[in-house]
Amino acid sequence: MIYMAQKQHRIYNPAMECIDREQLKKLQGERLAATVKLEYENVAVYRERMDAAGVKPEDIRTVDDLKYLPFMEKTDLRDYYPYGLMASPKSAIVRIHGSSGTTGKPIVSGDTRGDLDVWSEMMARTLTAAGCTSEDIVQVAYGFGLFTGGFGAYQGADRIGAMVLPMSSGNTQRQIMMMKDMGTSILCCTPSYATYLGETVREMGIDPKRHLKLKAGCFGAEPWTEEMRQHIEELLGIDACDIYGLTEIAGPGVAFECLEKHGMHINEDHVIPEIINPATGEQLPYGTPGELVFTTITKTGMPMLRYRTHDICTLTDEKCACGRTLVRMGRITGRTDDMLVIRGVNVFPSQIESVLVSAEGVAPHYMLIVDRVNNSDTLEVQVEMTEGMFSDTISHIENVRKYITDQIKSVVGIASKVKLVAPKSIPRSEGKAKRVIDNRKL
Ligand code: ADP
Ligand code: ZN
């Protein structure tokens, strides 16, 4: 089911993606009520919490009643690991996924056949929005495993009927060989790996426009910036679309960018987003930045009610030129839990990244090292020079270093020690980039 709203905009499921908002609200209310009932009847800990808050399933009839429900937290997934939050019997669960980035026990979620179906639909919408059709060849360079990236992209491409190359992450030379030989047209991986692939393609003397058939990429699973988007688009000669998701809610495809590339449409017929003040829990209006909270309304394996993501962003219901009526979320500007507090100042790594990518002579590969010396916090920013810069004069290098230091001071508001390091000296990541080392916690 593919429909062209405008020349370049493809929509997988226009009945839902372009739904009238009043009708959507009604549908969400019905689905929410059913999910709350399912949760109350099957998940003891949530029932206890609702009872303690004096809320009965019958009290939740519309989206406006959402605010009466208690929140769920990442710690709940740890505390009730592995099956404590499942609302369906084990025999109905057909897949387990787990989060990638955390230490110790993973955070797991369980999907029923129906949940996998919903997730595949969300990813089919995502890929279609980036221009993918059954004619395309989709290279999945997200990891396959407990991590949701690989399977999510695979399922969406399979649903569309595209040809899939389930490469998983890593083995860059092989990725590029297959990309070239098979004629890959859509690439799915993390933005940091897309940058690395792009740089390697260039180093190998491959001209994407002449030797490759790539046209677009769906990149997500970690924060990135507008500048990084431009960098990837230039390196690979493609449209780079942002895609968002998390294991607890479904995996990738919870929200996706259309080719307008100004925010990610949220699949609101399956999840209800809210923005809250992270300190008070109070709901905030569209346009105000705050913590993103999701409620799943079609999942039955492990539904999540008012799940706090710790991701900070803004929602907008402004009309999008693609024709979709689904609200959009802006880029994640940080996480309430990856926010660094350095000498009392809130610092998001993305702020520093935006300074680095706008400076000349440095590559977007960096590491932030936070420490405490004589009871005072220190921030060291290591960033790689480009090859050209590396062989430039010492005084020019020093000017660039000073420029970056001044920019960080003015954008972030704190003094830092900037070190320009040799090209390729910062470890590359095949999955999510690790960009902060906080030695204060040790
Ligand atoms: P973990 O947080 O343990 O790595 P996941 O692999 O499920 O678990 O990752 C989900 C998180 O990844 C999100 O909550 C968000 O912080 C981040 N993320 C996913 N997609 C994006 C994106 N497009 N932009 C920014 N951050 C993202
Ligand atoms: Zn759009």
Side-chain angles (χ1 to χ4, degrees), residues 9-181:
H9 289 301
R10 293 179 176 277
I11 301 182
Y12 184 76
N13 185 347
M16 283 301 165
E17 295 175 70
C18 307
I19 191 172
D20 167 77
R21 296 225 35 106
E22 277 306 306
Q23 210 186 324
L24 174 68
K25 204 172 166 193
K26 191 163 165 283
L27 179 72
Q28 287 179 320
E30 288 161 12
R31 292 180 168 181
L32 172 66
T35 306
V36 172
K37 187 165 180 288
L38 179 80
E39 187 80 358
Y40 189 84
E41 286 169 1
N42 296 286
V43 181
V45 49
Y46 203 75
R47 178 168 56 245
E48 284 157 22
R49 261 182 222 178
M50 280 177 63
D51 287 346
V55 193
K56 293 275 166 237
E58 309 79 79
D59 299 335
I60 311 297
R61 268 166 285 164
T62 75
V63 180
D64 301 324
D65 301 326
L66 205 52
K67 56 180 179 287
Y68 304 120
L69 289 173
F71 290 111
M72 292 177 96
E73 291 275 0
K74 214 179 219 6
T75 47
D76 292 330
L77 283 108
R78 300 218 172 90
D79 295 346
Y80 302 100
Y81 168 91
Y83 293 116
L85 295 179
M86 306 241 175
S88 291
K90 263 186 245 171
S91 58
I93 305 287
V94 296
R95 180 94 61 80
I96 295 293
H97 276 288
S99 91
S100 53
T102 39
T103 50
K105 298 263 195 216
I107 277 169
V108 295
S109 99
D111 290 323
T112 61
R113 184 72 62 200
D115 297 342
L116 288 185
D117 199 51
V118 165
W119 182 22
S120 303
E121 157 89 18
M122 296 201 289
M123 275 307 295
R125 294 180 189 179
T126 302
L127 286 158
T128 305
C132 182
T133 70
S134 59
E135 302 298 311
D136 280 292
I137 301 177
V138 181
Q139 184 156 343
V140 182
Y142 281 117
F144 279 78
L146 273 184
F147 175 56
T148 51
F151 278 97
Y154 157 71
Q155 288 162 202
D158 185 69
R159 171 69 63 94
I160 293 172
M163 186 196 292
V164 186
L165 299 176
M167 300 294 293
S168 203
S169 59
N171 206 337
T172 305
Q173 298 291 326
R174 191 178 200 78
Q175 298 271 4
I176 295 170
M177 183 186 77
M178 292 289 274
M179 190 181 281
K180 205 160 152 242
D181 295 349

Side-chain angles (χ1 to χ4, degrees), residues 19 116 145 227 239 404 439:
I19 191 172
L116 288 185
E227 291 85 351
D239 282 306
I404 295 174
N439 291 321

